[in-house]
Amino acid sequence: MKPHWLDEPRNVKRLWRLFLAVLAATVLAELAVALHPHFEVEALFGFHAWYGFLACAAMILVAKGLGLLLKRPDTYYEGDGDE
Amino acid sequence: MSEWLVHPGLVLVLGAFALPWLHGGARSAAVLALPLAALVCLWQLPEGARWQTAWLGYELAPLSVDKLSRLFATIFALMACGGGLFALRQTSRLEIPAAYVYAGSAIGVALAGDLVTVFVFWELMAVGSTLVLWSAGTKTAWAASRRYVMIHLLGGVVLFAGVTGHLLDAGDAAFVRMAPDSVAHWLILIGFLINAGAPPLSAWLPDAYPEASWSGTVFLSAFTTKTAVYVLLRGFPGTEFLVWIGLFMVFYGIVYALLENDMRRILAYSIVNQVGFMIAGIGIGTEMALNGAAAHAFTHIVYKALLLMSAGAVLAATGRRKCSELGGLFHSMPLTTICGTIGALAISSFPLTSGFVSKSMVTQAAIDGHLTWVWLALAAASAGVFLHAGIKFPWFVFFQKDSGLRPGDPPASMRWAMIAFAFLCIALGVWPEPLYRLLPYAVDYVPYTAAHVLTQLQLLLFSGLAFFAMLPWLKRTPTLTLDVDWLWRRPLPALARAAARNFGRLRDGAAVRAGSLAGRVSAGLRRHREPDGLFLRSWPTGGMALWTMTMLLAWLVLYYLP
């Protein structure tokens, strides 16, 4: 069977480049579009970009930390209620 | 005009009882026609209260229509139709009738003008949804349905106590705006919040929903939580602490979904997350916020059903639920991949999807109210939605490493249900005006401004960057994450068993003692009732006269005592 175009590492690399280019474009577009910031912090350059990134990084870290405490093998509840 | 009025909810509830008698094409036709008939009946109804009756001295209005109730009843009927189409090939003959009782009673709550009717349909929903869960027929579904019904009966009892208290306090059953200012109103609020998946009992939702069948979860995702959003919108708009409840739910949903491995449990946690946005909007309580919460409930039902349909198609085709066992399905399920991705974009509020035009109204309300911290939290949460549902779900199910599975796209009925809902996700995003016209208040909001589109794209795309940059941290492991349901799955049952054992011992001891006591008592009784016993032996007349005289003398003495 012919491999799907997404299976080729070359194309995946291209997609990555495209993605990074779009990321840069959304930030640079701030220079051309008036954003009408509502809050002081929002007026910082590229606020939504770095805020989104940092917020996600923070949530992943919190999840990771919580996982250390609360993760169990997924067979944990098996056998419950058999009695 | 003649009052030819049919209750749209009862069309579904009663129609459900006809479904088991039908077969083949007639059954399929009825499954699709019933929700559409309910929709037609709904739109025939003029605004105002109908069917008013008196009950125990209270005025009931079981069929009341205004813009808010029509909006929710409409989406419930549409959802029943889409879910029915998706579930047509479901082999369980119980599931669709149960789902229609469930959907019809959700419509019943939306059209209830008084709290008594709300309560009746509320409980009927619990019955319908438990039966949907049951009809999956697996052992885990049976166990989950028992935990599920336990929580909902608890919520029902709390709500019942609250409604009773309200009837006594207010002397009126009308379902009007309340404030948490009395015990009764707090109980009503708590009863509503339990069904919304609010803390501390949120875990009932991700515990139960993923255990239903591949089509059952699609129904379950829509009605219970959104009915709760509806009653909160009507009963408790502007109750400030709901903002904090909502924000907690938003982040709870994200963090647990990030840790989760079961694809449908990821989506279940994301229901709590999305309902959190709505509840925060209800707490903000301005017209913009309430419109936003209502609109978001509408769009959410559609894209969440779509996401769960795509997950259901994967489950039906592969029998697998865990992300760690899936991946690479885009090769052989292109349509499911596309539809699932559209649902994922819509839940993330990407421009040109339905989530963008609804959720942003809640955010706008936070801006208008100068609620800086609420706004920052909502923005972070919007980024987190893309992270946990927008990318994580499609990435681990349809892409990532190739699992080698090559199942095909699902049969036509399931495909068309997904296509119809994917179409709605895009259509509502591109033309929001019809939805805006249905909202309870006049809409003064333009979602598509250059600034809004650009900031939203920044927020979402950089969340995407965070996802791929931190992918090793998000690697799926065959684990589950303990949640509050642990309490009623482990320590509480253990406590109950221990109590039962001790109680048993006590009871046995007590039974022995009681047995000997009873034996003595009955022996005594028998002794006195035997022919020669105290009660039955014949007494001589002289003795009788003596006792009578003694009593009379005693009376005489007592009479003269001071």
Side-chain angles (χ1 to χ4, degrees):
Chain A
M1 203 174 81
K2 195 164 86 53
H4 197 278
W5 66 270
L6 272 176
D7 289 328
E8 301 221 8
R10 196 158 42 102
N11 291 329
V12 174
K13 198 169 257 176
R14 277 183 192 153
L15 275 181
W16 257 108
R17 287 203 190 113
L18 181 69
F19 181 48
L20 293 175
V22 172
L23 286 178
T26 57
V27 177
L28 292 178
E30 263 194 51
L31 301 171
V33 178
L35 288 190
H36 319 295
H38 311 281
F39 302 106
E40 260 174 57
V41 61
E42 222 188 331
L44 298 171
F45 185 73
F47 169 77
H48 290 85
W50 58 258
Y51 184 68
F53 186 89
L54 292 180
C56 285
M59 281 182 271
I60 292 173
L61 289 178
V62 170
K64 199 81 186 156
L66 200 68
L68 290 179
L69 286 174
L70 297 177
K71 265 195 182 187
R72 296 289 183 277
D74 59 10
T75 50
Y76 180 77
Y77 286 122
E78 270 175 27
D80 279 18
D82 283 346
E83 71 273 7
Chain B
M1 186 193 115
S2 67
E3 290 275 294
W4 185 80
L5 299 172
V6 181
H7 192 301
L10 293 183
V11 170
L12 272 178
V13 173
L14 298 177
F17 288 94
L19 286 177
W21 311 106
L22 300 173
H23 291 275
R27 178 175 177 272
S28 304
V31 165
L32 297 180
L34 279 172
L36 294 177
L39 202 59
V40 171
C41 293
L42 173 70
W43 282 85
Q44 297 284 327
L45 291 173
E47 290 201 1
R50 296 283 176 289
W51 289 12
Q52 278 142 314
T53 46
W55 176 78
L56 298 182
Y58 297 106
E59 195 67 30
L60 303 190
L63 184 55
S64 302
V65 183
D66 64 5
K67 286 192 89 172
L68 183 64
S69 52
R70 202 192 299 273
L71 173 78
F72 275 82
T74 301
I75 187 59
F76 290 156
L78 280 176
M79 176 61 225
C81 193
L85 175 60
F86 186 75
L88 271 185
R89 295 176 67 96
Q90 177 58 255
T91 46
S92 158
R93 297 190 55 84
L94 170 64
E95 188 178 285
I96 293 182
Y100 279 14
V101 169
Y102 179 31
S105 37
I107 294 175
V109 172
L111 297 178
D114 64 88
L115 286 167
V116 176
T117 311
V118 166
F119 175 77
V120 170
F121 280 116
W122 195 263
E123 292 302 290
L124 200 55
M125 276 174 62
V127 174
S129 52
T130 307
L131 288 176
V132 171
L133 199 47
W134 250 19
S135 63
T138 62
K139 214 174 128 202
T140 51
W142 162 244
S145 74
R146 282 175 27 186
R147 295 191 292 274
Y148 174 85
V149 81
M150 178 187 77
I151 298 291
H152 285 275
L153 292 182
L154 171 72
V157 169
V158 174
L159 180 63
F160 183 76
V163 170
T164 317
H166 174 84
L167 291 182
L168 291 176
D169 289 349
D172 184 31
F175 184 16
V176 289
R177 183 176 175 164
M178 292 167 273
D181 51 6
S182 66
V183 176
H185 288 169
W186 270 107
L187 289 173
I188 293 178
L189 181 57
I190 291 170
F192 287 170
L193 282 172
I194 288 177
N195 267 25
L201 299 184
S202 319
W204 66 260
L205 194 160
D207 173 28
Y209 284 2
E211 301 302 336
S213 76
W214 51 264
S215 53
T217 308
V218 177
F219 287 114
L220 291 173
S221 73
F223 302 115
T224 302
T225 48
K226 261 58 73 185
T227 311
V229 167
Y230 163 79
V231 290
L232 288 169
L233 262 168
R234 184 173 291 286
F236 295 94
T239 303
E240 196 194 317
F241 97 107
L242 289 180
V243 175
W244 311 113
I245 297 264
L247 289 180
F248 179 89
M249 290 168 72
V250 162
F251 288 104
Y252 158 87
I254 294 172
V255 168
Y256 268 86
L258 284 176
L259 288 166
E260 188 53 55
N261 187 33
D262 181 321
M263 63 173 171
R264 293 199 302 171
R265 192 155 284 136
I266 293 174
L267 296 176
Y269 276 117
S270 107
I271 295 177
V272 180
N273 158 277
Q274 293 292 303
V275 171
F277 280 102
M278 299 167 211
I279 290 190
I282 297 170
I284 295 173
T286 59
E287 288 192 356
M288 173 75 81
L290 298 177
N291 268 345
H296 202 48
F298 192 101
T299 59
H300 168 80
I301 287 178
V302 177
Y303 57 68
K304 180 55 53 130
L306 176 59
L307 282 164
L308 282 164
M309 283 177 187
S310 70
V314 169
L315 176 66
T318 65
R320 299 185 189 191
R321 299 162 44 170
K322 294 173 187 170
C323 289
S324 49
E325 297 172 356
L326 292 165
L329 296 181
F330 74 91
H331 289 101
S332 57
M333 302 181 87
L335 182 85
T336 311
T337 306
I338 290 170
C339 289
T341 308
I342 289 175
L345 293 176
I347 197 174
S348 315
S349 303
F350 245 84
L352 300 182
T353 65
S354 54
F356 182 74
V357 303
S358 58
K359 188 164 73 185
S360 48
M361 294 170 89
V362 176
T363 327
Q364 184 65 41
I367 292 173
D368 295 342
H370 308 291
L371 307 168
T372 314
W373 290 106
V374 175
W375 178 79
L376 279 173
L378 288 174
S382 299
V385 174
F386 191 43
L387 193 66
H388 83 275
I391 317 184
K392 181 178 168 174
F393 168 73
W395 174 258
F396 282 111
V397 174
F398 298 113
F399 300 100
Q400 64 153 340
K401 63 163 188 15
D402 192 357
S403 61
L405 297 169
R406 290 291 183 273
D409 269 320
S413 55
M414 294 163 73
R415 284 204 306 271
W416 280 108
M418 290 197 290
I419 291 170
F421 273 36
F423 173 78
L424 270 179
C425 283
I426 304 283
L428 289 169
V430 178
W431 303 288
E433 286 76 20
L435 172 63
Y436 284 176
R437 272 202 294 278
L438 291 177
L439 297 182
Y441 303 102
V443 176
D444 176 25
Y445 179 64
V446 183
Y448 289 103
T449 63
H452 184 205
V453 171
L454 184 63
T455 50
Q456 184 72 1
L457 282 177
Q458 279 187 3
L459 192 72
L460 295 180
L461 293 176
F462 276 84
S463 313
L465 181 66
F467 178 86
F468 287 109
M470 301 178 81
L471 199 52
W473 289 61
L474 291 164
K475 212 165 115 44
R476 298 318 324 131
T477 49
T479 51
L480 55 79
T481 311
L482 296 185
D483 199 339
V484 189
D485 60 331
W486 178 78
L487 284 176
W488 58 83
R489 299 177 77 164
R490 279 296 166 85
L492 284 182
L495 208 66
R497 278 194 297 273
R501 262 199 311 278
N502 289 328
F503 177 72
R505 221 173 288 143
L506 274 177
R507 190 190 50 201
D508 293 348
V512 169
R513 279 193 294 278
S516 73
L517 182 69
R520 282 203 300 277
V521 168
S522 75
L525 283 177
R526 208 176 309 124
R527 202 172 62 241
H528 293 307
R529 283 169 191 278
E530 275 165 354
D532 287 336
L534 185 63
F535 297 130
L536 286 187
R537 67 172 176 238
S538 51
W539 293 1
T541 320
M544 200 64 180
L546 177 72
W547 279 112
T548 310
M549 197 176 67
T550 314
M551 275 185 67
L552 284 173
L553 278 172
W555 185 77
L556 199 65
V557 172
L558 285 173
Y559 186 82
Y560 282 106
L561 281 180

